[in-house]
Amino acid sequence: MVKASAPGKLMLFGEHAVIYDKPCIVASVDHRISVSLEKRNDNNIILTAPELSIKNQIISDNLEKSHFKKVSFILAAVNNFFKKCDLKSGLDIKTQSEFSDKIGLGSSSAVIVAAIKGLSELFKIKMNEKEIFDLSYQTVLDVQGLGSGFDVAAAVYGGILLFVTGGKIISPIEITDMPLVVGYTGIKADTPTLVKMIGEKLLKEPDRVNGIFNEIENIVNLAKVEIGNKDWRKVGHLMNLNQDLLRRLGISSKELENLIKAALDSGAYGAKLSGAGGGDCMIALADKENSNNVKRAIEKAGGKIIEAKIPAEGVRSE
Ligand code: MEV
């Protein structure tokens, strides 16, 4: 039996613009998903996923009927790995998750990456990080049809990364700690709908939306330097500027704005939504001494604090 695990992620800067070939900055978080794999003597793929209340379910025959997105991702990861390596085998697969798939921390990408790493160990096929990234990203596109792959990169490489769509650039920003506070709105973001909405806006108002993307690109490039410098005051200011541009794209929400305001009013250097918008999590940057104040203010405004250490280690064998 083999076991591999991969971390979740938070988008720090550059969401949406990254789909259109602009850079973004993504951080891995220390909430992991692990996948255990064992060969079987028959051809069945059997899944146990306690977090989805799935126990010993054959998933190889009924992908179409599956109600669970995560099941489709795991099966697609297995099929893509077998196709690439010209292999076939039955498998017992067990997943274990340290975070809910409802909060936008990237459970789909983490489970795909952990599964592919585990498969490469089980079948003794050497894969480097870029090969794991490419096969995992292909799996995301096969199942979901869209996405820049920033979440897959965080799951594979860990750390904090400057990233451009499809892995054209994956460049680490070398820091070991970032004092981020994470507040969950309680609302699940609908990423595909929001990504399509921005695509339609871009068609209708190309000059305005491209102008916003260019401004986001400038902010990302400045943020890369200031994160490296650990200048949290400047990073916080850049977060506020990025949030303002996301507002102008129309993807913030009342709930996100309430939590962002609470964080800023209680002394955070900066705060913004993280991810597609419309819900999921917001992030705030606050000194260690002030972080409890910021957390309390976010809770008072109706948010749930997700305790998370940033950054985390990328995919690994357990
Ligand atoms: C969603 O978390 C972030 C987006 O930029 C989509 C993506 O990059 O895949 C909106």
Side-chain angles (χ1 to χ4, degrees):
M1 197 186 75
V2 300
K3 187 172 176 183
S5 78
K9 58 77 193 166
L10 281 166
M11 180 68 98
L12 301 186
F13 288 95
E15 44 273 272
H16 287 285
V18 65
I19 302 257
Y20 301 93
D21 258 358
K22 303 294 187 195
C24 74
I25 299 176
V26 56
S28 54
V29 299
D30 69 336
H31 293 284
R32 304 184 77 84
I33 291 194
S34 58
V35 177
S36 308
L37 297 147
E38 209 170 355
K39 288 184 202 169
R40 291 178 59 86
N41 293 328
D42 57 24
N43 276 331
N44 289 329
I45 310 287
I46 297 192
L47 178 68
T48 296
E51 68 280 13
L52 300 177
S53 309
I54 292 178
K55 197 165 177 223
N56 289 331
Q57 190 179 314
I58 300 180
I59 59 167
S60 27
D61 302 329
N62 62 351
L63 180 60
E64 258 28 277
K65 282 174 264 154
S66 163
H67 295 299
F68 300 107
K69 203 167 119 197
K70 199 152 146 198
V71 177
S72 324
F73 279 122
I74 293 169
L75 194 56
V78 170
N79 287 338
N80 278 348
F81 178 84
F82 282 166
K83 203 160 114 198
K84 180 184 157 72
C85 305
D86 204 12
L87 285 164
K88 188 101 202 125
S89 169
L91 292 170
D92 276 315
I93 306 177
K94 284 196 183 82
T95 66
Q96 225 179 328
S97 180
E98 291 174 358
F99 60 95
S100 154
D101 57 353
K102 304 221 164 27
I103 58 178
L105 282 195
S107 62
S108 307
S109 41
V111 84
I112 291 172
V113 168
I116 289 180
K117 172 77 176 173
L119 287 162
S120 75
E121 300 278 317
L122 189 65
F123 292 96
K124 303 202 178 348
I125 307 273
K126 273 206 161 47
M127 286 178 86
N128 64 28
E129 286 173 328
K130 188 62 171 47
E131 288 167 323
I132 295 175
F133 172 84
D134 287 340
L135 196 59
S136 302
Y137 181 46
Q138 188 53 52
T139 303
V140 171
L141 292 181
D142 289 348
V143 177
Q144 199 166 264
L146 52 84
S148 64
F150 78 104
D151 43 0
V152 177
V156 174
Y157 295 85
I160 298 183
L161 306 169
L162 184 92
F163 176 87
V164 176
T165 308
K168 282 178 211 144
I169 297 175
I170 304 176
S171 168
I173 303 173
E174 305 287 354
I175 62 158
T176 51
D177 183 33
M178 191 168 174
L180 218 57
V181 174
V182 185
Y184 175 53
T185 56
I187 294 164
K188 175 100 193 83
D190 181 354
T191 303
T193 303
L194 288 156
V195 169
K196 279 180 203 140
M197 188 187 99
I198 297 297
E200 282 158 18
K201 278 195 185 179
L202 183 62
L203 281 179
K204 265 195 217 141
E205 309 167 84
D207 290 349
R208 188 179 81 86
V209 175
N210 275 320
I212 292 177
F213 287 167
N214 288 339
E215 284 188 67
I216 291 177
E217 178 177 24
N218 288 337
I219 289 172
V220 167
N221 287 328
L222 292 171
K224 178 183 178 239
V225 176
E226 299 308 344
I227 291 171
N229 291 341
K230 289 186 154 201
D231 189 330
W232 303 134
R233 195 173 291 279
K234 286 196 184 142
V235 176
H237 177 62
L238 293 166
M239 285 168 77
N240 293 339
L241 294 180
N242 194 161
Q243 174 61 21
D244 205 39
L245 294 163
L246 295 170
R247 271 182 206 119
R248 280 163 55 192
L249 284 176
I251 57 149
S252 197
S253 69
K254 188 167 68 40
E255 292 79 7
L256 283 163
E257 290 299 329
N258 285 345
L259 305 192
I260 288 167
K261 182 171 184 313
L264 293 175
D265 287 351
S266 57
Y269 291 134
K272 65 181 278 295
L273 66 83
S274 171
D280 283 351
C281 290
M282 52 72 71
I283 50 176
L285 201 53
D287 268 338
K288 286 246 154 58
E289 305 77 65
N290 196 31
S291 97
N292 280 339
N293 280 342
V294 174
K295 286 179 187 172
R296 267 199 304 272
I298 290 174
E299 281 173 341
K300 230 173 134 192
K304 181 176 182 308
I305 296 300
I306 311 284
E307 295 292 348
K309 199 187 146 329
I310 289 148
E313 196 187 337
V315 68
R316 65 178 183 226
S317 303
E318 296 289 344

